[in-house]
Amino acid sequence: MVKLLSSIAVVAVALIGSFVSAVPLDVGALARRDMHLVNTNYIPQNPQTVTVTVTKYVNSNSPSSYYTSAPSSYTSTTPPTQFPDWQNQMLSQVNSIRASAGMPPLTLDSRLNDMAQSHSNYQDSISQMTHSDSAGSLGQRCTDVGLQWRGVAENVAYNYPDVTSVVQGWKNSPGHYANMIGDYSLVGFGVNNKYWTQDFAKL
């Protein structure tokens, strides 16, 4: 009888073990992760002065006035970078959070946008929320987009439906909130299939 009960117990434990291993680990539908690094190899650059020479052309109809370019030429100007509405919305919300904490606003940077978008694309490609990336470490990715950074941070999240909900989720998480109000000056945002990325940099 004792042997029979013992055998039943062993079978039960084995069945329970196989059932538990077959059930995926629930990490929460609205998972979040944060990361920040300091560049110990940062070397401050000496300020550089750029001399601009402006040639003045006399206006023959009005000798007292000048052109800064030849009258026959036209100056083309590059329009300011236009960011998608959702990025402007996220920037506004993050800067509002920073203002409440007494921190200056961040500037949206196209290089960090590219970096963040690439990381969101990578997370979607592997169906996993992570700070790891085949393009390299967080600091390496920041260097690769052309920034000589002193500090860099990253917030990632998954499965938030819109800007407001993911920013609120980050705000409610101490590590992510610390990044959003941290000593940074530039920021970039990316999203792909609900994989969200915020990248911060201090130059």
Side-chain angles (χ1 to χ4, degrees):
M1 184 66 178
V2 174
K3 288 184 177 180
L4 177 61
L5 290 175
S6 177
S7 298
I8 292 172
V10 169
V11 171
V13 168
L15 287 173
I16 292 172
S18 63
F19 174 74
V20 170
S21 64
V23 177
L25 179 63
D26 181 12
V27 295
L30 304 178
R32 305 177 298 268
R33 292 183 183 175
D34 68 276
M35 183 179 194
H36 56 91
L37 299 172
V38 174
N39 188 356
T40 56
N41 296 319
Y42 175 78
I43 301 174
Q45 299 297 303
N46 294 326
Q48 296 181 349
T49 301
V50 177
T51 302
V52 178
T53 302
V54 177
T55 303
K56 294 184 178 181
Y57 298 86
V58 176
N59 182 347
S60 58
N61 297 322
S62 177
S64 61
S65 62
Y66 300 88
Y67 296 106
T68 55
S69 60
S72 60
S73 66
Y74 296 89
T75 303
S76 62
T77 58
T78 303
T81 303
Q82 298 296 315
F83 298 112
D85 289 342
W86 75 267
Q87 288 186 336
N88 290 323
Q89 182 186 359
M90 182 171 283
L91 179 67
S92 176
Q93 292 185 20
V94 170
N95 279 338
S96 177
I97 291 170
R98 288 176 64 84
S100 297
M103 295 299 291
L106 297 171
T107 299
L108 198 53
D109 185 86
S110 59
R111 296 163 296 181
L112 286 176
N113 279 340
D114 291 343
M115 174 178 158
Q117 186 59 54
S118 293
H119 189 60
S120 285
N121 294 346
Y122 175 74
Q123 291 179 93
D124 181 57
S125 73
I126 64 171
S127 300
Q128 181 181 345
M129 188 183 62
T130 180
H131 290 293
S132 298
D133 194 303
S134 60
S137 66
L138 176 58
Q140 185 60 52
R141 287 184 277 130
C142 194
T143 298
D144 288 346
V145 297
L147 293 172
Q148 187 178 19
W149 54 277
R150 283 188 282 172
V152 63
E154 183 170 80
N155 286 343
V156 296
Y158 171 67
N159 211 28
Y160 285 85
D162 53 43
V163 168
T164 299
S165 63
V166 71
V167 170
Q168 188 63 40
W170 281 325
K171 181 182 178 182
N172 293 339
S173 172
H176 301 85
Y177 175 74
N179 283 344
M180 287 198 294
I181 65 166
D183 184 18
Y184 302 106
S185 54
L186 303 178
V187 69
F189 309 128
V191 63
N192 187 341
N193 199 21
K194 297 185 181 179
Y195 284 95
W196 299 87
T197 304
Q198 289 183 326
D199 285 324
F200 306 86
K202 176 181 180 180
L203 304 184

